[in-house]
Amino acid sequence: LGSSSSVPFTSIFSQLFMTVVVPLIIGQIVRRYIKDWLERKKPPFGAISSCVLLMIIYTTFCDTFANPNIDLDKFSLIIVVFIIFSVQMSFMVLTFLFSTRNNSSFTPADTVAIVFCSTHKSLTLGIPMLKIVFAGYEHLSLISVPLLIYHPAQILLGSLLVPTIKSWMVSRQK
């Protein structure tokens, strides 16, 4: 097309490494040394994790829709929501079909884990990655819209499918 661009791969890789991998490694090392203390004290990590996730979602949502440069009409937003729900549902159906093939050695419990775990992605990893990869890009808010929709979509679809998958799993285990 006659145009070119340079992508700072080393900078992006080092920032992603520092944001994602280093905290994971440090957490695993620290956990080894304070595991007994954590089991005795039982800090409310679930509540803390939920609050941090809520803050990430809230700040991203505010950053996205407070941006005056975001040019997203209602029809486009509805189309994006439809596409995301379709993609999420398709992934769930494909993983279900893949894990229940005749020559598959997965148990019904394995299948449920595969369907829910393989298709679910989190804002806590996606938003920092977007901010690193697209740092300084003026349409970062627009790029984050699908991820902001995908996260609630996976929760909604998952909760709607729980009764159906539960009855399927119970009937298969008998």
Side-chain angles (χ1 to χ4, degrees), residues 11-13 15-17 19 127-135:
S11 173
I12 291 173
F13 181 75
Q15 286 179 340
L16 284 174
F17 184 79
T19 304
I127 293 301
M129 287 177 66
L130 281 177
K131 287 183 177 182
I132 290 169
V133 173
F134 295 102

Side-chain angles (χ1 to χ4, degrees), residues 27-48:
Q28 292 298 314
I29 292 169
V30 169
R31 185 171 190 259
R32 175 175 289 167
Y33 294 108
I34 63 170
K35 184 178 179 182
D36 294 333
W37 179 82
L38 288 173
E39 288 177 359
R40 283 193 314 272
K41 295 292 183 181
K42 297 194 188 302
F45 286 129
I48 294 169

Side-chain angles (χ1 to χ4, degrees), residues 60 63-64 67 69-70 126-146 148:
T60 303
D63 288 345
T64 299
N67 185 349
N69 296 330
I70 191 168
I127 293 301
M129 287 177 66
L130 281 177
K131 287 183 177 182
I132 290 169
V133 173
F134 295 102
Y137 185 61
E138 64 179 299
H139 298 294
L140 176 62
S141 297
L142 200 56
I143 293 171
S144 65
V145 169
L148 284 170

Side-chain angles (χ1 to χ4, degrees), residues 43-59 122-124 151 155:
F45 286 129
I48 294 169
S49 174
S50 296
C51 289
V52 169
L53 178 60
L54 184 61
M55 287 305 297
I56 290 171
I57 294 169
Y58 176 75
T59 57
S122 173
L123 280 170
T124 55
H151 188 77
I155 294 169

Side-chain angles (χ1 to χ4, degrees), residues 96 100 106-116 161-174:
F96 179 81
T100 56
F106 296 121
T107 66
D110 292 337
T111 298
V112 171
I114 290 168
V115 167
F116 284 108
L161 290 175
V162 164
T164 305
I165 290 182
K166 181 180 178 184
S167 65
W168 172 84
M169 190 173 97
V170 168
S171 70
R172 290 291 178 150
Q173 288 179 336
K174 289 182 180 180

Side-chain angles (χ1 to χ4, degrees), residues 85-99:
F85 270 87
S86 300
V87 166
Q88 175 69 17
M89 196 64 191
S90 299
F91 284 157
M92 293 178 93
V93 167
L94 286 173
T95 55
F96 179 81
L97 293 174
F98 174 76
S99 62

